Amino acid sequence: MEQTLTIIKPDSMAAGNAGKILAHLEQEGFQILALRRIHLSEAQARSFYEVHKERPFYDDLVAYMTEAPVIAAALEREDAVAHLRRVMGATNPEEAAAGTIRALYGTSIERNAIHGSDSPENAAIETDFFFSRADLLPS
Ligand code: GDP
């Protein structure tokens, strides 16, 4: 079993799509290990997306990710990282395959509904960002 980290982004929350997206993920076989609603501060959003700090869209991305609460979730499934990326679809919803979460709920390359870790290494780092070890221990 592998773990990954997802964020239901502010556009999805504002549009009332969080429940549908979580249901979609459960339908795809992901188990929700931990779940947290959080309104990111500017410092938290800057830190989470630090890897993008030289990109021209960094300030816009931080503003977007702090405009409303998000839901972060630690997910488990076989091949979780790659499967979540498939289920999410391409970064730009216009290029995302039909039926993917970004095709269904994203509205622009920025406001694309959902985040998913891009590697097992980043999944571990990003899960640590939102959750403590105690949150992830088996019940
Ligand atoms: P992801 O792994 O598919 O989420 O894509 P990236 O890691 O490349 O980008 C992180 C996030 O930054 C994306 O999910 C978008 O919300 C945003 N983003 C990516 N590319 C662009 C862009 O060209 N313009 C803007 N405004 N936002 C972008």
mmCIF file of all heavy atoms in Angstrom, residues 16-47:
data_model
loop_
_atom_site.group_PDB
_atom_site.id
_atom_site.type_symbol
_atom_site.label_atom_id
_atom_site.label_comp_id
_atom_site.label_asym_id
_atom_site.label_seq_id
_atom_site.Cartn_x
_atom_site.Cartn_y
_atom_site.Cartn_z
ATOM 1 N N GLY A 16 -18.861 24.169 -3.652
ATOM 2 C CA GLY A 16 -19.594 23.076 -3.010
ATOM 3 C C GLY A 16 -19.286 21.715 -3.607
ATOM 4 O O GLY A 16 -20.141 20.816 -3.594
ATOM 5 N N ASN A 17 -18.077 21.542 -4.124
ATOM 6 C CA ASN A 17 -17.718 20.277 -4.771
ATOM 7 C C ASN A 17 -16.875 19.351 -3.900
ATOM 8 O O ASN A 17 -16.472 18.274 -4.358
ATOM 9 C CB ASN A 17 -16.954 20.556 -6.072
ATOM 10 C CG ASN A 17 -17.848 21.164 -7.136
ATOM 11 O OD1 ASN A 17 -19.042 20.872 -7.174
ATOM 12 N ND2 ASN A 17 -17.281 22.018 -7.986
ATOM 13 N N ALA A 18 -16.605 19.742 -2.651
ATOM 14 C CA ALA A 18 -15.688 18.929 -1.831
ATOM 15 C C ALA A 18 -16.225 17.507 -1.622
ATOM 16 O O ALA A 18 -15.485 16.529 -1.764
ATOM 17 C CB ALA A 18 -15.442 19.606 -0.484
ATOM 18 N N GLY A 19 -17.505 17.396 -1.293
ATOM 19 C CA GLY A 19 -18.083 16.076 -1.045
ATOM 20 C C GLY A 19 -18.036 15.192 -2.289
ATOM 21 O O GLY A 19 -17.724 13.994 -2.201
ATOM 22 N N LYS A 20 -18.335 15.798 -3.443
ATOM 23 C CA LYS A 20 -18.310 15.019 -4.692
ATOM 24 C C LYS A 20 -16.887 14.533 -5.001
ATOM 25 O O LYS A 20 -16.688 13.411 -5.477
ATOM 26 C CB LYS A 20 -18.840 15.877 -5.854
ATOM 27 C CG LYS A 20 -20.357 15.978 -5.857
ATOM 28 C CD LYS A 20 -20.862 16.855 -6.967
ATOM 29 C CE LYS A 20 -20.971 18.280 -6.482
ATOM 30 N NZ LYS A 20 -21.667 19.181 -7.393
ATOM 31 N N ILE A 21 -15.915 15.395 -4.726
ATOM 32 C CA ILE A 21 -14.523 15.009 -5.009
ATOM 33 C C ILE A 21 -14.072 13.903 -4.050
ATOM 34 O O ILE A 21 -13.438 12.924 -4.468
ATOM 35 C CB ILE A 21 -13.603 16.246 -4.962
ATOM 36 C CG1 ILE A 21 -13.934 17.162 -6.150
ATOM 37 C CG2 ILE A 21 -12.132 15.836 -4.977
ATOM 38 C CD1 ILE A 21 -13.255 18.521 -6.117
ATOM 39 N N LEU A 22 -14.429 14.015 -2.780
ATOM 40 C CA LEU A 22 -14.070 12.936 -1.835
ATOM 41 C C LEU A 22 -14.757 11.627 -2.227
ATOM 42 O O LEU A 22 -14.148 10.549 -2.170
ATOM 43 C CB LEU A 22 -14.453 13.337 -0.406
ATOM 44 C CG LEU A 22 -13.556 14.400 0.241
ATOM 45 C CD1 LEU A 22 -14.147 14.855 1.572
ATOM 46 C CD2 LEU A 22 -12.127 13.887 0.448
ATOM 47 N N ALA A 23 -16.017 11.705 -2.647
ATOM 48 C CA ALA A 23 -16.731 10.497 -3.090
ATOM 49 C C ALA A 23 -16.050 9.888 -4.320
ATOM 50 O O ALA A 23 -15.903 8.666 -4.430
ATOM 51 C CB ALA A 23 -18.192 10.833 -3.390
ATOM 52 N N HIS A 24 -15.621 10.751 -5.239
ATOM 53 C CA HIS A 24 -14.914 10.303 -6.446
ATOM 54 C C HIS A 24 -13.637 9.544 -6.052
ATOM 55 O O HIS A 24 -13.343 8.474 -6.597
ATOM 56 C CB HIS A 24 -14.576 11.538 -7.295
ATOM 57 C CG HIS A 24 -14.090 11.250 -8.672
ATOM 58 N ND1 HIS A 24 -14.689 11.765 -9.810
ATOM 59 C CD2 HIS A 24 -13.051 10.520 -9.118
ATOM 60 C CE1 HIS A 24 -14.028 11.359 -10.875
ATOM 61 N NE2 HIS A 24 -13.029 10.602 -10.488
ATOM 62 N N LEU A 25 -12.922 10.091 -5.072
ATOM 63 C CA LEU A 25 -11.673 9.445 -4.644
ATOM 64 C C LEU A 25 -11.964 8.099 -3.972
ATOM 65 O O LEU A 25 -11.265 7.099 -4.226
ATOM 66 C CB LEU A 25 -10.905 10.377 -3.697
ATOM 67 C CG LEU A 25 -10.384 11.662 -4.355
ATOM 68 C CD1 LEU A 25 -9.808 12.607 -3.307
ATOM 69 C CD2 LEU A 25 -9.330 11.358 -5.427
ATOM 70 N N GLU A 26 -13.007 8.038 -3.156
ATOM 71 C CA GLU A 26 -13.369 6.758 -2.518
ATOM 72 C C GLU A 26 -13.763 5.728 -3.574
ATOM 73 O O GLU A 26 -13.401 4.556 -3.495
ATOM 74 C CB GLU A 26 -14.506 6.965 -1.516
ATOM 75 C CG GLU A 26 -14.041 7.679 -0.252
ATOM 76 C CD GLU A 26 -15.109 7.692 0.830
ATOM 77 O OE1 GLU A 26 -16.285 7.963 0.508
ATOM 78 O OE2 GLU A 26 -14.773 7.444 1.993
ATOM 79 N N GLN A 27 -14.508 6.198 -4.580
ATOM 80 C CA GLN A 27 -14.916 5.314 -5.684
ATOM 81 C C GLN A 27 -13.698 4.738 -6.398
ATOM 82 O O GLN A 27 -13.729 3.621 -6.910
ATOM 83 C CB GLN A 27 -15.730 6.137 -6.688
ATOM 84 C CG GLN A 27 -16.731 5.360 -7.494
ATOM 85 C CD GLN A 27 -18.069 5.345 -6.803
ATOM 86 O OE1 GLN A 27 -18.564 6.391 -6.448
ATOM 87 N NE2 GLN A 27 -18.635 4.180 -6.593
ATOM 88 N N GLU A 28 -12.621 5.497 -6.424
ATOM 89 C CA GLU A 28 -11.377 5.045 -7.076
ATOM 90 C C GLU A 28 -10.536 4.168 -6.152
ATOM 91 O O GLU A 28 -9.393 3.850 -6.471
ATOM 92 C CB GLU A 28 -10.563 6.263 -7.529
ATOM 93 C CG GLU A 28 -11.161 6.958 -8.753
ATOM 94 C CD GLU A 28 -11.014 6.126 -10.019
ATOM 95 O OE1 GLU A 28 -10.115 5.255 -10.077
ATOM 96 O OE2 GLU A 28 -11.797 6.360 -10.954
ATOM 97 N N GLY A 29 -11.069 3.836 -4.997
ATOM 98 C CA GLY A 29 -10.379 2.892 -4.124
ATOM 99 C C GLY A 29 -9.446 3.515 -3.107
ATOM 100 O O GLY A 29 -8.710 2.785 -2.436
ATOM 101 N N PHE A 30 -9.455 4.841 -3.019
ATOM 102 C CA PHE A 30 -8.612 5.476 -2.000
ATOM 103 C C PHE A 30 -9.308 5.394 -0.645
ATOM 104 O O PHE A 30 -10.503 5.709 -0.534
ATOM 105 C CB PHE A 30 -8.370 6.960 -2.327
ATOM 106 C CG PHE A 30 -7.466 7.176 -3.502
ATOM 107 C CD1 PHE A 30 -7.992 7.455 -4.757
ATOM 108 C CD2 PHE A 30 -6.089 7.086 -3.359
ATOM 109 C CE1 PHE A 30 -7.165 7.653 -5.847
ATOM 110 C CE2 PHE A 30 -5.250 7.276 -4.448
ATOM 111 C CZ PHE A 30 -5.791 7.563 -5.697
ATOM 112 N N GLN A 31 -8.537 5.038 0.370
ATOM 113 C CA GLN A 31 -9.018 5.123 1.743
ATOM 114 C C GLN A 31 -8.559 6.460 2.315
ATOM 115 O O GLN A 31 -7.396 6.862 2.131
ATOM 116 C CB GLN A 31 -8.458 3.966 2.561
ATOM 117 C CG GLN A 31 -9.167 3.831 3.898
ATOM 118 C CD GLN A 31 -8.477 2.858 4.823
ATOM 119 O OE1 GLN A 31 -7.661 2.040 4.399
ATOM 120 N NE2 GLN A 31 -8.789 2.962 6.097
ATOM 121 N N ILE A 32 -9.481 7.164 2.972
ATOM 122 C CA ILE A 32 -9.126 8.438 3.600
ATOM 123 C C ILE A 32 -8.553 8.137 4.980
ATOM 124 O O ILE A 32 -9.263 7.694 5.874
ATOM 125 C CB ILE A 32 -10.357 9.362 3.686
ATOM 126 C CG1 ILE A 32 -10.885 9.665 2.283
ATOM 127 C CG2 ILE A 32 -9.995 10.647 4.433
ATOM 128 C CD1 ILE A 32 -12.254 10.338 2.270
ATOM 129 N N LEU A 33 -7.237 8.353 5.137
ATOM 130 C CA LEU A 33 -6.566 8.046 6.408
ATOM 131 C C LEU A 33 -6.684 9.193 7.395
ATOM 132 O O LEU A 33 -6.733 8.978 8.605
ATOM 133 C CB LEU A 33 -5.078 7.787 6.162
ATOM 134 C CG LEU A 33 -4.695 6.596 5.321
ATOM 135 C CD1 LEU A 33 -3.179 6.486 5.257
ATOM 136 C CD2 LEU A 33 -5.295 5.326 5.881
ATOM 137 N N ALA A 34 -6.668 10.414 6.877
ATOM 138 C CA ALA A 34 -6.744 11.602 7.735
ATOM 139 C C ALA A 34 -7.296 12.736 6.890
ATOM 140 O O ALA A 34 -7.054 12.798 5.683
ATOM 141 C CB ALA A 34 -5.360 11.950 8.263
ATOM 142 N N LEU A 35 -8.045 13.608 7.552
ATOM 143 C CA LEU A 35 -8.755 14.673 6.823
ATOM 144 C C LEU A 35 -8.697 15.942 7.663
ATOM 145 O O LEU A 35 -8.896 15.885 8.884
ATOM 146 C CB LEU A 35 -10.205 14.230 6.652
ATOM 147 C CG LEU A 35 -11.095 14.977 5.679
ATOM 148 C CD1 LEU A 35 -10.652 14.710 4.252
ATOM 149 C CD2 LEU A 35 -12.544 14.508 5.858
ATOM 150 N N ARG A 36 -8.457 17.075 7.013
ATOM 151 C CA ARG A 36 -8.324 18.326 7.772
ATOM 152 C C ARG A 36 -8.787 19.509 6.927
ATOM 153 O O ARG A 36 -8.331 19.688 5.803
ATOM 154 C CB ARG A 36 -6.853 18.510 8.148
ATOM 155 C CG ARG A 36 -6.583 19.772 8.930
ATOM 156 C CD ARG A 36 -5.112 19.835 9.334
ATOM 157 N NE ARG A 36 -4.838 21.095 9.991
ATOM 158 C CZ ARG A 36 -3.622 21.582 10.189
ATOM 159 N NH1 ARG A 36 -2.567 20.899 9.792
ATOM 160 N NH2 ARG A 36 -3.451 22.737 10.791
ATOM 161 N N ARG A 37 -9.706 20.292 7.487
ATOM 162 C CA ARG A 37 -10.103 21.544 6.842
ATOM 163 C C ARG A 37 -9.238 22.644 7.432
ATOM 164 O O ARG A 37 -9.124 22.768 8.645
ATOM 165 C CB ARG A 37 -11.570 21.831 7.125
ATOM 166 C CG ARG A 37 -12.102 23.122 6.514
ATOM 167 C CD ARG A 37 -13.546 23.310 6.947
ATOM 168 N NE ARG A 37 -14.190 24.476 6.370
ATOM 169 C CZ ARG A 37 -14.110 25.709 6.862
ATOM 170 N NH1 ARG A 37 -13.401 25.942 7.949
ATOM 171 N NH2 ARG A 37 -14.744 26.702 6.268
ATOM 172 N N ILE A 38 -8.644 23.438 6.563
ATOM 173 C CA ILE A 38 -7.730 24.476 7.050
ATOM 174 C C ILE A 38 -7.756 25.668 6.099
ATOM 175 O O ILE A 38 -7.776 25.479 4.866
ATOM 176 C CB ILE A 38 -6.284 23.911 7.199
ATOM 177 C CG1 ILE A 38 -5.305 24.999 7.620
ATOM 178 C CG2 ILE A 38 -5.817 23.194 5.959
ATOM 179 C CD1 ILE A 38 -3.904 24.479 7.948
ATOM 180 N N HIS A 39 -7.801 26.864 6.662
ATOM 181 C CA HIS A 39 -7.653 28.075 5.846
ATOM 182 C C HIS A 39 -6.180 28.460 5.911
ATOM 183 O O HIS A 39 -5.697 28.939 6.929
ATOM 184 C CB HIS A 39 -8.552 29.192 6.386
ATOM 185 C CG HIS A 39 -8.711 30.315 5.422
ATOM 186 N ND1 HIS A 39 -9.808 31.138 5.396
ATOM 187 C CD2 HIS A 39 -7.909 30.741 4.415
ATOM 188 C CE1 HIS A 39 -9.674 32.027 4.431
ATOM 189 N NE2 HIS A 39 -8.515 31.815 3.820
ATOM 190 N N LEU A 40 -5.463 28.206 4.826
ATOM 191 C CA LEU A 40 -4.016 28.420 4.816
ATOM 192 C C LEU A 40 -3.685 29.899 4.991
ATOM 193 O O LEU A 40 -4.312 30.767 4.364
ATOM 194 C CB LEU A 40 -3.413 27.922 3.496
ATOM 195 C CG LEU A 40 -3.437 26.410 3.259
ATOM 196 C CD1 LEU A 40 -3.014 26.100 1.822
ATOM 197 C CD2 LEU A 40 -2.526 25.689 4.240
ATOM 198 N N SER A 41 -2.681 30.166 5.801
ATOM 199 C CA SER A 41 -2.141 31.527 5.878
ATOM 200 C C SER A 41 -1.238 31.749 4.667
ATOM 201 O O SER A 41 -0.841 30.788 3.980
ATOM 202 C CB SER A 41 -1.330 31.693 7.162
ATOM 203 O OG SER A 41 -0.157 30.904 7.086
ATOM 204 N N GLU A 42 -0.866 33.005 4.439
ATOM 205 C CA GLU A 42 0.049 33.282 3.331
ATOM 206 C C GLU A 42 1.374 32.544 3.546
ATOM 207 O O GLU A 42 1.918 31.951 2.607
ATOM 208 C CB GLU A 42 0.291 34.794 3.207
ATOM 209 C CG GLU A 42 1.174 35.090 2.017
ATOM 210 C CD GLU A 42 1.450 36.571 1.818
ATOM 211 O OE1 GLU A 42 0.633 37.409 2.259
ATOM 212 O OE2 GLU A 42 2.494 36.869 1.207
ATOM 213 N N ALA A 43 1.857 32.553 4.774
ATOM 214 C CA ALA A 43 3.142 31.883 5.060
ATOM 215 C C ALA A 43 3.032 30.375 4.809
ATOM 216 O O ALA A 43 3.961 29.758 4.268
ATOM 217 C CB ALA A 43 3.556 32.154 6.498
ATOM 218 N N GLN A 44 1.914 29.788 5.173
ATOM 219 C CA GLN A 44 1.735 28.346 4.952
ATOM 220 C C GLN A 44 1.675 28.023 3.459
ATOM 221 O O GLN A 44 2.294 27.066 2.995
ATOM 222 C CB GLN A 44 0.464 27.860 5.661
ATOM 223 C CG GLN A 44 0.609 27.792 7.178
ATOM 224 C CD GLN A 44 -0.711 27.531 7.881
ATOM 225 O OE1 GLN A 44 -1.771 27.970 7.434
ATOM 226 N NE2 GLN A 44 -0.650 26.829 8.999
ATOM 227 N N ALA A 45 0.923 28.835 2.700
ATOM 228 C CA ALA A 45 0.815 28.575 1.261
ATOM 229 C C ALA A 45 2.166 28.787 0.568
ATOM 230 O O ALA A 45 2.562 28.000 -0.301
ATOM 231 C CB ALA A 45 -0.246 29.484 0.647
ATOM 232 N N ARG A 46 2.892 29.821 0.971
ATOM 233 C CA ARG A 46 4.222 30.065 0.380
ATOM 234 C C ARG A 46 5.157 28.893 0.670
ATOM 235 O O ARG A 46 5.911 28.456 -0.189
ATOM 236 C CB ARG A 46 4.833 31.362 0.933
ATOM 237 C CG ARG A 46 4.208 32.592 0.344
ATOM 238 C CD ARG A 46 5.005 33.873 0.597
ATOM 239 N NE ARG A 46 4.280 34.982 0.003
ATOM 240 C CZ ARG A 46 4.279 35.283 -1.302
ATOM 241 N NH1 ARG A 46 5.031 34.578 -2.142
ATOM 242 N NH2 ARG A 46 3.566 36.268 -1.775
ATOM 243 N N SER A 47 5.069 28.388 1.882
ATOM 244 C CA SER A 47 5.934 27.271 2.263
ATOM 245 C C SER A 47 5.553 26.000 1.492
ATOM 246 O O SER A 47 6.425 25.309 0.942
ATOM 247 C CB SER A 47 5.827 27.052 3.773
ATOM 248 O OG SER A 47 6.505 25.892 4.149
#
